């Protein structure tokens, strides 16, 4: 399977615990995105990497959230001191820069986080 | 700011009938528009996109979308619906700037009845 993969698929945690999610993009895709999707809503942008550089972060990404993409390959998203409001589906997408300026983003299956 | 609106929370259609899922957009500059489909507990699957050129864009699984600049719309269509098309459909627009991040609508649930 050469698509975007995410692990774990589901995570249940208690409030105040730290969690980390992993995303493996399509190989050779240099752009990687994290989105968050809550029930009944469309995905909302969290952060973006081009290779290993984190170039943009949404205001949604509080200081409890941190993302990394070491070596420009896989990425991790960590949430510290989780809150019930963090419960959501966390989606990762990757794309390859093109001259058209409108790359297609391919999404992974998501990690569903439930904070008790 | 860029935005898209999906005015219908749900669309119901009988199998074999044509379907339309509506999307309108608000952008500054040229719009880059996308449609994605989401099945239960799954990520988003890319259907099609409009960048420039022909106003009728053909995509995966027999879907197509019509770009209408005067009406600022990008409606998703299919000539003959299948029960397996039942899913959540999202319209999205590329934000301005250099990141290509997408701004999504709230989604439209399509129910195709046998």
């Amino acid at each position: 399977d050469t698509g975007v993969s995410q692990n774990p698929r589901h995570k249940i945690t208690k409030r105040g615990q730290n969690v980390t999610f992993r995303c493996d993009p399509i190989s050779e895709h240099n752009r990687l995105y994290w989105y968050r999707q809550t029930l009944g809503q469309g995905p909302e942008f969290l952060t973006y990497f081009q290779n290993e550089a984190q170039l943009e972060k949404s205001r949604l990404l509080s200081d409890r959230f941190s993302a990394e993409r070491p070596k420009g390959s896989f990425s991790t998203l960590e949430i510290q001191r989780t809150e019930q409001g963090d419960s959501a589906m966390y989606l990762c997408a990757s794309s390859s820069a093109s001259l058209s300026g409108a790359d297609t983003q391919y999404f992974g299956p998501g990690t569903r986080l439930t904070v008790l | 700011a860029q935005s898209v609106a999906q005015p219908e929370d749900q669309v119901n259609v009988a199998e074999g009938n044509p379907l339309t899922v509506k999307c309108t957009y608000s952008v500054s500059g040229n719009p880059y528009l996308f449609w994605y489909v989401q099945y239960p507990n799954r990520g988003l699957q890319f259907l099609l996109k409009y960048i420039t050129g022909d106003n009728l864009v053909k995509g995966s699984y027999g879907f197509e979308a019509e770009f209408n600049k005067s009406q600022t719309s990008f409606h998703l269509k299919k000539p003959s619906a299948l029960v397996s098309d039942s899913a959540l459909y999202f319209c999205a627009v590329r934000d301005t700037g250099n990141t290509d991040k997408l701004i999504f609508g709230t989604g439209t649930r399509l129910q195709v009845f046998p």
Side-chain angles (χ1 to χ4, degrees):
Chain A
D1 184 10
T2 58
V4 178
S5 62
Q6 292 186 245
N7 288 288
R9 294 290 307 276
H10 303 275
K11 179 69 176 179
I12 299 174
T13 190
K14 293 182 179 179
R15 188 177 55 185
Q17 297 295 305
N18 299 344
V19 294
T20 300
F21 310 141
R22 176 177 170 129
C23 170
D24 287 90
I26 294 171
S27 59
E28 299 177 359
H29 276 190
N30 58 343
R31 296 184 172 187
L32 187 146
Y33 304 79
W34 286 98
Y35 292 84
R36 181 171 68 187
Q37 184 180 20
T38 53
L39 200 61
Q41 299 297 318
E44 296 175 293
F45 170 78
L46 291 179
T47 190
Y48 157 73
F49 290 85
Q50 178 149 324
N51 299 312
E52 66 275 10
Q54 187 175 19
L55 297 185
E56 185 170 347
K57 293 191 290 186
S58 163
R59 294 176 185 177
L60 293 174
L61 215 64
S62 75
D63 56 5
R64 297 184 297 105
F65 288 71
S66 63
E68 295 181 341
R69 193 184 182 195
K71 303 179 183 179
S73 56
F74 71 92
S75 176
T76 58
L77 178 68
E78 181 182 17
I79 310 174
Q80 296 181 328
R81 304 181 304 281
T82 52
E83 302 173 354
Q84 288 184 328
D86 297 331
S87 295
M89 174 79 89
Y90 290 84
L91 296 165
C92 176
S94 70
S95 71
S96 179
S98 69
L99 293 176
S100 72
D103 316 329
T104 298
Q105 293 181 30
Y106 295 93
F107 284 79
T111 295
R112 181 168 296 284
L113 173 65
T114 302
V115 182
L116 302 177
Chain B
Q2 318 285 73
S3 66
V4 292
Q6 295 181 244
E8 301 158 317
D9 290 336
Q10 182 155 327
V11 169
N12 299 318
V13 64
E15 187 175 31
N17 283 0
L19 69 87
T20 299
V21 183
K22 296 180 180 177
C23 173
T24 58
Y25 64 88
S26 174
V27 303
S28 55
N30 295 321
Y32 295 156
L33 297 158
F34 299 78
W35 276 103
Y36 285 84
V37 59
Q38 186 175 36
Y39 295 96
N41 298 315
R42 302 285 296 277
L44 279 71
Q45 294 181 26
F46 170 72
L47 285 178
L48 50 81
K49 68 182 178 184
Y50 172 82
I51 302 173
T52 186
D54 195 348
N55 289 342
L56 187 63
V57 180
K58 293 190 181 296
S60 306
Y61 313 119
F63 284 93
E64 57 190 26
E66 185 172 9
F67 173 71
N68 188 315
K69 188 173 183 178
S70 63
Q71 297 185 4
T72 62
S73 67
F74 188 56
H75 299 334
L76 182 70
K77 300 181 179 183
K78 188 174 182 180
S80 179
L82 299 172
V83 173
S84 58
D85 293 329
S86 299
L88 194 54
Y89 290 80
F90 289 98
C91 180
V93 64
R94 179 193 176 228
D95 198 11
T96 55
N98 298 322
T99 66
D100 276 1
K101 68 186 181 194
L102 296 175
I103 298 171
F104 287 86
T106 52
T108 298
R109 184 166 301 282
L110 173 66
Q111 291 277 14
V112 182
F113 295 95

